[in-house]
């Protein structure tokens, strides 16, 4: 017979304490070389990189024009050849000679400046100009962008398109990076209908799997598995065990509360260590953190809103820590409440809201009923309002902190 308990074994901890425990236990994944073409923007570099090549690799023209010897001054020059970007023509300039040259082409031997075509006339193999060139005019000298031996990126740099391009320019195709975390998602509950079936009486559709898979992918992490597991200790145990073997983080939803069939916590105790099992936040009180074979497992409550808010305030920072991201938290902004809100002082509450600009100030309007089952309260929200513990109901006009999930985009810059 199952026992219906009335008190949790787990102490209620403050959100700050939960963050501290997570920070202590979540270590960055071991760096691995990755092939440059597959690295996602946002990946963190795990080594300092020094250029073994120079950029540009040869003295190159920055203009379409004529490669000349500057000291020749304004004389008419004989056109010897044409040098395009690419293979180097076998030609050496002597005084009174020039070579037609294109942008990006190697400066021919003997030449030391380029006169742009707009300043020249060419007739019957002779080029005339009124421009007196100084040495180096319109020439990018070799190594002037990146010198050999120069440190180009230091460890811990977040790679964006520009940094990835720089590595390509230097022929660094296998940099050492912190790998993209792989996440296994287990939606648990006897009530979950299989995804291709019409729910039987008492069953519901599983939205959490989709919420989490989309949220994980949206921040550039990989989803290894998405499975539905019934409320059975043996099935949960083997599912969590195999998920921990293939993923860097295991996410479960459901089964962390006080019900007789809420089995995630005891299963995790058996498989590994539970570090906390209750956090004083709303929504998402029974939020659970464990490690199984060294792999972190986060047990989110089944309510769809708890799941997504839990993703924002706990899972996302954990994934960023695993990926060694220097910044882990969404930006915050002080906003004024557009209307009064209710709030129980016992817990930190994350209220779903829309932040908008009005009369030069930022305002927030909550997205209607904040019931934790109401996924609609998240649809259209661009922020979570952080209503602290110890505060009661708040009046319209009060200033609160908003954690911005999305910065409002604009349709056309002015
Ligand atoms: P639990 O955390 O297991 O007590 O579940 C809390 C509530 O969330 C219950 O109403 C569940 O039916 C619901 N729920 C659990 N899992 C899911 C899911 N995957 N998708 C949508 N709702 C769910
Ligand atoms: Mg359940």
């Amino acid at each position: 017979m199952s026992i219906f308990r009335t008190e949790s074994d787990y102490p209620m901890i403050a959100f700050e304490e939960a963050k501290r425990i997570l920070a202590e236990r979540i270590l960055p994944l071991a760096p691995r070389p990755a092939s440059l073409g597959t690295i996602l923007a946002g990946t963190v570099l795990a080594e300092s990189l020094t250029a073994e090549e120079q950029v540009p690799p040869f003295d190159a023209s920055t203009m379409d024009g004529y490669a000349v010897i500057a000291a020749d001054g304004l004389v008419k020059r004989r056109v010897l050849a044409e040098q395009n970007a690419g293979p180097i023509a076998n030609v050496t300039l002597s005084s009174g000679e020039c070579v037609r040259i294109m942008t990006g082409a190697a400066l021919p031997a003997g030449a030391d400046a380029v006169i742009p075509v707009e300043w020249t006339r060419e007739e019957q193999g002779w080029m005339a100009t009124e421009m007196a060139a100084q040495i180096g005019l319109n020439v990018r000298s070799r190594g002037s962008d990146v010198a050999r031996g120069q440190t180009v990126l230091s460890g811990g740099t977040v790679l964006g398109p520009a940094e990835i391009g720089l590595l390509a320019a230097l022929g660094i195709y296998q940099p050492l990076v912190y790998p993209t975390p792989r996440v296994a998602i287990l939606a648990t509950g006897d009530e979950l209908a299989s995804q291709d079936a019409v729910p039987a009486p008492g069953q519901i559709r599983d939205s959490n799997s989709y919420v989490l898979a989309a949220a994980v992918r949206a921040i550039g992490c990989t989803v290894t598995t998405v499975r539905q597991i019934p409320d059975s200790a043996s099935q949960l145990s083997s599912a969590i065990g195999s998920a921990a073997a293939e993923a860097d983080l295991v996410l479960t939803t459901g089964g962390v509360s006080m019900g007789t069939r809420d089995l995630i916590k005891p299963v995790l105790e058996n498989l590994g260590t539970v570090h906390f099992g209750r956090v004083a936040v709303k929504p998402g009180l029974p939020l659970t953190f464990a490690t199984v074979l060294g792999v972190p497992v986060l047990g989110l409550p089944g309510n769809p809103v708890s799941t997504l808010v839990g993703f924002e305030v706990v899972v996302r920072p954990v994934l960023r820590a695993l990926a060694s991201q220097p910044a882990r938290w969404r930006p915050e902004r002080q906003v004024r409440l557009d209307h009064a809100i209710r709030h129980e002082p016992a817990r930190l509450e994350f209220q779903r809201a829309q932040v908008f600009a009005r009369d030069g100030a930022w305002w927030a309007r909550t997205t209607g009923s904040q019931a934790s089952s109401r996924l609609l309260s998240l649809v259209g929200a661009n922020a979570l309002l952080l209503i602290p513990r110890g505060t009661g109901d708040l009046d319209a006009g009060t200033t609160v902190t908003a954690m911005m999930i999305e910065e409002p985009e604009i349709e056309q810059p002015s």
Side-chain angles (χ1 to χ4, degrees), residues 188-191 231 254-256 261-262:
T188 78
D190 284 338
E191 73 275 37
D231 293 317
V256 285
R261 304 278 273 173
D262 285 332

Side-chain angles (χ1 to χ4, degrees), residues 203-345:
Q203 286 193 320
I204 58 160
R205 292 192 195 274
D206 162 19
S207 55
N208 291 345
S209 297
Y210 289 86
V211 164
L212 289 177
V216 164
R217 293 191 180 112
I219 60 167
C221 297
T222 310
V223 175
T224 57
T225 342
V226 182
R227 291 177 65 191
Q228 292 177 349
I229 316 293
D231 293 317
S232 132
S234 60
Q235 292 190 55
L236 287 169
S237 194
S238 77
I240 294 173
S242 36
E246 68 173 28
D248 304 308
L249 175 69
V250 180
L251 296 179
T252 66
T253 74
V256 285
S257 317
M258 296 288 289
T260 55
R261 304 278 273 173
D262 285 332
L263 301 171
I264 295 286
K265 286 180 168 90
V267 162
L268 288 172
E269 294 279 8
N270 261 328
L271 291 172
T273 312
V274 176
H275 305 291
F276 59 74
R278 278 199 308 162
V279 185
V281 290
K282 183 183 174 186
L285 190 91
L287 184 75
T288 299
F289 167 50
T291 39
V292 171
L293 301 169
V295 174
V297 181
L298 288 168
L300 302 167
N303 267 313
V305 172
S306 310
T307 295
L308 190 46
V309 171
F311 181 88
E312 274 302 326
V313 303
V314 176
V315 180
R316 182 178 179 279
V318 161
L319 285 169
R320 292 180 70 80
L322 286 170
S324 200
Q325 294 287 343
R328 314 249 155 104
W329 296 89
R330 301 273 201 194
E332 291 181 353
R333 169 177 291 162
Q334 298 303 304
V335 301
R336 299 186 69 192
L337 294 175
D338 194 40
H339 53 82
I341 58 172
R342 306 193 64 81
H343 169 63
E344 342 156 0

Side-chain angles (χ1 to χ4, degrees), residues 12-179:
M12 174 83 83
I13 62 168
F15 186 54
E16 289 309 316
E17 174 68 358
K19 287 206 285 194
R20 194 192 59 72
I21 294 172
L22 287 164
E24 201 175 274
R25 301 263 163 195
I26 303 287
L27 303 174
L29 301 176
R32 277 203 293 264
S35 101
L36 193 63
T38 64
I39 293 176
L40 293 176
T43 299
V44 178
L45 186 65
E47 60 178 340
S48 282
L49 289 172
T50 302
E52 287 178 14
E53 297 177 4
Q54 52 187 353
V55 180
F58 45 80
D59 294 343
S61 175
T62 64
M63 289 282 181
D64 297 325
Y66 291 85
V68 299
I69 297 168
D72 283 347
L74 298 178
V75 298
K76 264 195 175 181
R77 294 155 163 105
R78 199 162 68 81
V79 181
L80 284 185
E82 181 168 298
Q83 174 65 64
N84 288 294
I88 297 180
N90 183 18
V91 46
T92 301
L93 266 70
S94 305
S95 182
E97 294 173 339
C98 68
V99 160
R100 230 180 272 129
I101 193 165
M102 309 303 146
T103 304
L107 204 68
D112 57 18
V114 172
I115 298 176
V117 64
E118 295 83 346
W119 290 83
T120 65
R121 276 182 330 273
E122 184 182 330
E123 264 169 48
Q124 286 161 8
W126 288 84
M127 185 275 281
T129 184
E130 269 108 64
M131 180 184 274
Q134 320 87 314
I135 292 178
L137 182 72
N138 299 319
V139 176
R140 278 165 73 215
S141 59
R142 88 179 81 107
S144 59
D145 290 352
V146 181
R148 195 175 279 134
Q150 185 182 336
T151 300
V152 282
L153 294 175
S154 48
T157 301
V158 178
L159 300 175
E163 289 75 16
I164 290 171
L166 179 60
L167 297 186
L170 291 166
I172 301 174
Y173 295 119
Q174 295 281 329
L176 201 61
V177 299
Y178 292 98

